[in-house]
Amino acid sequence: MSGPLDDLRVVEISDTLTGAQAGQVLADLGAEVVAVEPPGGSRLRDQAAFPFLARGKKSVVLDLHERVDADVVWGLASEADVLITTLRPAALERFGLDHSVVSVVNPRLVYGSVTGWGRTGPMRDAKGYEGMVLAKLGAMATSFAKVSTRPGPTFPSVPFASWSASQALLQGVFAALREREASGAGQLVEVSLAKALAAQDPWNQAAAAIAQRFPDAFVAAPPVSDEGVPNYNFTFLLLIAITKDGHWLQFSQVQPHLFRAFIRSCGLEWMYDDPDWKTLPNFEDVPRRMRFWDILLTEVRKKTLAEWQEVFDQDPDVFAEIFRSGSEVLHHPQMQFARHTITLDDAERGAVLQPGPLMSLEGTPIVLERGAPRLDEHGAEVRARAAEARRDPVPAADPPPSGLPLAGTTVLELGTFYAAPYGATLLTDLGARVIKIEPTSGDPMRVMQPFPESGALKVLQGKESVALDLAAPEAKGILERLALTADIVLCSFRSGVAERLGVGARDLLARHPDLFYLDAPGYGIAGPHGHRPAFAPTMSAGAGIAMRNAGALVPDGETDDLAVLRARSIQLNSAGGGSATQPDGIAALAVATTLSLASYLKCRGVAGQHALTTMLNSCAHALCEDAVEHANRPPAPTADAEGFGFGPLYRLYETAQDWVFLAAPTESDWTDLTGQAEFSDLRDDSRFRDVAARAEHAAELVEALSAVFATRSADEWECALLAADIGCVKADTNTVERNYLGEFGRQHGYLATVESPILDEYPRVGPIVDFSRSATTATVGCTLGQHTEAVLREYGYDDATIADFAERGVIVTA
């Protein structure tokens, strides 16, 4: 393996998806990553994704309960640049491997720690399983409830929280490494699954804050009511429909010209001139909304998939994604064109088809050559090296607190909507300066929601809005001046747009070779889908997120019954992701990781270059449990046919009042659970004596556990089992955003109160990364053109020129 980080040494102590995925990105970038595995190996070894997660790493087996083995880790950490761990803080203290101890022998160490909930609040000591986090925050009972037609919450299979935490950890590590270049000192970087998940939400947190502030003027409602009636026009703009030959399609025609093109492709353009339909896609009365929905479903059903693909080829403004499943994303035409897949030889599995690197770097290419290591393959080498490592404390004064770790990094943002721009937003909390170039009409996010600015309030946090008419010749001159002092350019235009405006990577890098230019489109900057409109639902369908969550809940089979088709489309829409869990957030986090990497590389003097991330490839990485192919591949964890969970010990249970999520998948978890009086009868039942027996008698175990859980309320079970260190929480019925902005967020220290030029004072979730020395800041949104004048003055334009630009519409000022 080689890449831009080939001089870094990393120690990975984790058997969770979060830690393994963070280590995998570092290994892909060329770092030496030593994965410390427990006796018998990481539990990830039995999973389909292991050859992807462990590629390029070194393996050493160590029992941290044994002092001699813990000393090996101590020796590795004494010479490492980065240590990442998902062990709970109490366990690290017992092993003598917590940050306060290890940093004494290696003050330059960047120590990345991931917990489930953070180190404050009522849940601080609880286990941090993905399912517990999504249940406790309300995602199962609100975001995904309609994936199933039964009452109660529904379990999603996509690891949204684990992905969020892995990327937040990487952002913090790169920021801390950058700060180390100046200070010479490392520090503790802390991330939690529960707080990191907040980065997935495009606007609902802002909408909830507005609803709190103006309860009588702003009432939020779900996209589709409990009676199956669309509350908003998004049901039509983001139509889910089935073709004549049985393929579900996700249309994504959010902008007016795109929707009109779709209506034209259906032969319905006459509706714009018909008094009964001319307000489409907005209708006040319910019957008209329902009738319009049926008309669209009927028109889509008239064509086969091949016929629709002919339409897409003829009109680039009309497009729909096929709902893919399993590893089909690896065979997506765009993934194949962009070479975002790779086949690596694995010592135990043979050839493994898997996603390529998360980001592409032209100037410092990532070269992947090694598959996953055999268990303890590098044990002798690693132990010998650790034995020779320095063990004595390093005499040094306590390093002083530092400022914002990305202070001094300037990002010039070219793009609209959520996925790429929010990646830059995350960096503003760490001190990066982001100058956002907006069209004079404003980013469309500003008017995407019924309440003005609510759609963009979050995505514009911390940015300086410079509103330009990019078609004007003078605007290009302004961009040239801004590019002179920028470190990074972030572009998310569809393929060809930046080039037509003269601000593409080739243009700007030719004139400013020190720039790090990141293209972050939905599909790519060329290829069969590079020009296609890409929104969160498009990616959810095309990458396989919706089908992974839906599982068997959406039945196969042909039908022309419009009521059935409406119901199934609601299920697929819900399965694609809710307000807090969706592809925009997945992609934004990957963008932020790449931008923070760029800031670190720039600080080290690495030359400017062109880089690329895409929403599609980011989603493939997040879906790695499915997105691999190799011989004798074990199945990915798959929810049961009713959407309760992965098995008897990792699933939802109905109680005397409300529901709980039980997370007790390991042997030690089982021992703890059956050690409780209420479950003790299960301990001596021969049907459940070991893992194999429990798998064979899974239905009986579910029945037995269901009977016990039915004896108490969800609140009572959560209180009792958490006190016994057993993973069990109530599936909260509040929405995720209400939990973040309510008592849960306050108790766990997630909230910051900020003052905005739009809303005055309001609460927001604070930065998703914490540091032991570096500062963070909770930034706020901005109005259109709020900073145009100030930025232009800073870059040498006088008042007369600025006034002339404003009068001629070249710029918009606040």
Side-chain angles (χ1 to χ4, degrees), residues 506-529:
R506 185 183 300 274
D507 299 314
L508 285 185
L509 285 170
R511 298 190 294 271
H512 310 287
D514 289 335
L515 278 175
F516 191 104
Y517 190 109
L518 175 60
D519 267 311
Y523 285 106
I525 53 176
H529 287 65

Side-chain angles (χ1 to χ4, degrees), residues 75-108:
L76 292 173
S78 70
E79 296 185 345
D81 297 284
V82 177
L83 185 150
I84 56 178
T85 180
T86 56
L87 297 187
R88 289 193 285 175
L92 291 163
E93 289 176 10
R94 288 197 305 272
F95 300 146
L97 295 172
D98 57 306
H99 173 256
S100 64
V101 175
V102 177
S103 61
V104 173
V105 73
N106 185 359
R108 288 178 54 81

Side-chain angles (χ1 to χ4, degrees), residues 737-778:
E737 54 271 15
R738 286 179 62 190
N739 276 319
Y740 276 132
L741 300 183
E743 187 65 18
F744 181 88
R746 285 190 292 272
Q747 288 178 332
H748 290 84
Y750 295 172
L751 288 182
T753 300
V754 295
E755 188 150 344
S756 157
I758 299 168
L759 284 183
D760 296 329
E761 190 176 275
Y762 74 97
R764 56 153 287 196
V765 177
I768 61 172
V769 184
D770 292 308
F771 303 88
S772 59
R773 292 192 305 104
S774 292
T776 59
T777 182

Side-chain angles (χ1 to χ4, degrees), residues 17 100 168 274 388 692 741 757:
L17 181 60
S100 64
D274 189 300
E388 297 175 359
L741 300 183

Side-chain angles (χ1 to χ4, degrees), residues 560-706:
D560 287 319
D561 187 324
L562 288 170
V564 172
L565 294 179
R566 290 197 303 269
R568 291 181 184 176
S569 71
I570 292 172
Q571 287 181 271
L572 287 172
N573 177 66
S574 299
S579 60
T581 48
Q582 38 77 41
D584 272 340
I586 289 173
L589 284 154
V591 168
T593 294
T594 308
L595 293 175
S596 57
L597 168 67
S599 179
Y600 172 51
L601 294 179
K602 290 282 293 179
C603 184
R604 294 181 58 192
V606 175
Q609 59 185 298
H610 184 206
L612 174 71
T613 66
T614 70
M615 288 181 71
L616 184 62
N617 188 39
S618 300
C619 289
H621 276 250
L623 289 166
C624 65
E625 292 169 307
D626 259 333
V628 289
E629 293 180 0
H630 54 85
N632 301 315
R633 174 190 184 275
T638 304
D640 58 82
E642 294 183 280
F644 290 117
F646 285 154
L649 297 175
Y650 199 81
R651 61 160 274 165
L652 290 154
Y653 285 97
E654 189 171 11
T655 72
Q657 183 178 347
D658 298 315
W659 294 69
V660 293
F661 187 85
L662 173 68
T666 70
E667 193 64 34
S668 61
D669 289 333
W670 170 257
T671 300
D672 291 342
L673 180 66
T674 56
Q676 302 303 298
E678 300 91 339
F679 300 93
S680 59
D681 289 346
L682 304 178
R683 180 178 52 208
D684 301 321
D685 192 318
S686 61
R687 296 174 299 171
F688 313 133
R689 63 182 178 274
D690 55 30
V691 173
R694 291 193 288 272
E696 182 182 353
H697 299 282
E700 294 100 313
L701 182 53
V702 167
E703 184 179 359
L705 289 170
S706 296

Side-chain angles (χ1 to χ4, degrees), residues 215-279:
D216 298 326
F218 187 74
V219 179
V224 179
S225 72
D226 290 338
E227 294 74 32
V229 177
N231 286 318
Y232 305 115
N233 61 20
F234 279 106
T235 300
F236 315 130
L237 303 179
L238 301 171
L239 181 72
I240 296 173
I242 195 167
T243 65
K244 185 177 183 180
D245 50 347
H247 295 276
W248 283 100
L249 296 179
Q250 172 69 69
F251 290 86
S252 299
Q253 322 295 325
V254 172
Q255 297 183 59
H257 74 284
L258 298 178
F259 187 72
R260 183 146 194 157
F262 167 61
I263 290 296
R264 183 171 61 248
S265 73
C266 292
L268 299 174
E269 199 167 23
W270 57 268
M271 290 180 127
Y272 285 101
D273 299 319
D274 189 300
D276 291 333
W277 300 105
K278 65 180 181 180
T279 61

Side-chain angles (χ1 to χ4, degrees), residues 2 106 113 140 195 258 275 288 325 332 344 416 451 455 457 495 585 601 624 626 631 641 677 680 683 708 767:
S2 67
N106 185 359
S113 172
M140 293 188 189
K195 193 177 185 184
L258 298 178
R288 201 175 302 274
S325 61
H332 191 290
L344 291 176
T416 57
F451 195 95
L457 191 65
S495 178
L601 294 179
C624 65
D626 259 333
S680 59
R683 180 178 52 208
V708 177

Side-chain angles (χ1 to χ4, degrees), residues 286-297:
V286 169
R288 201 175 302 274
R289 268 181 266 161
M290 297 297 288
R291 176 64 183 139
F292 186 59
W293 194 1
D294 285 347
I295 289 172
L296 295 182
L297 291 171

